[in-house]
Amino acid sequence: MDINEIKPYERSVFYYETDRMGIVHHSNYIRWMEEARIDWMDQIGWNYKTIEDDGIIIPVLSAGAEYKTMCRFGDTVDIHVKLTEYTGVRVGFSYEIINKATGELHCIGKTSHCLLNDKNKLLFVRKVYPEKDILFKQLLE
């Protein structure tokens, strides 16, 4: 798979995500990153539902966001996801949340995850899913 084939995740800002000041509450950006990461996984052909059906979980080890400008109700954003870390048992992603209409950068973020089997033991991707190991190595920046 070519990294250029992966499209950003497009999302509208909903009213319920805003606070009394009319801006998106900071916690929602982390949720949006999760939505975008799940979409990214779908695009590379490794659906979260399939992963979980196989007894694998991908817990979050860390998550962070740096807020640049405010999103407001009615905005549409593109969330660009990039694989930034892959060790065979651990994956990391970066995110850019960009206003679709203006190109303004609203937020940058990072998450880190590990892969666990159904016994909560580390899963070595190359042993269980060698084709995904190759794909992740190709997508790693």
Side-chain angles (χ1 to χ4, degrees), residues 30-47:
I30 301 295
R31 290 182 181 99
W32 295 354
M33 287 184 237
E34 180 178 353
E35 291 175 18
R37 185 175 62 254
I38 289 170
D39 178 72
W40 185 92
M41 294 289 288
D42 283 345
Q43 289 188 59
I44 68 161
W46 208 19
N47 174 281

Side-chain angles (χ1 to χ4, degrees), residues 10-18 22-24 32 70-77 99-102 106:
E10 184 178 307
R11 190 181 195 292
S12 297
V13 176
F14 297 108
Y15 182 77
Y16 73 87
E17 296 170 315
T18 62
I23 61 173
V24 171
W32 295 354
M70 298 172 277
C71 287
R72 299 182 183 279
F73 170 65
D75 287 347
T76 300
V77 295
N99 187 294
K100 189 166 182 73
T102 67
H106 290 297

Side-chain angles (χ1 to χ4, degrees), residues 61-114:
L61 299 173
S62 66
E66 185 177 330
Y67 307 101
K68 302 293 189 181
T69 59
M70 298 172 277
C71 287
R72 299 182 183 279
F73 170 65
D75 287 347
T76 300
V77 295
D78 280 337
I79 304 172
H80 299 262
V81 179
K82 293 181 183 166
L83 182 67
T84 57
E85 175 187 16
Y86 175 67
T87 66
V89 295
R90 187 177 174 132
V91 292
F93 298 93
S94 68
Y95 309 85
E96 289 185 337
I97 300 175
I98 299 171
N99 187 294
K100 189 166 182 73
T102 67
E104 183 177 29
L105 177 63
H106 290 297
C107 181
I108 57 175
K110 292 181 180 181
T111 60
S112 180
H113 313 261
C114 65

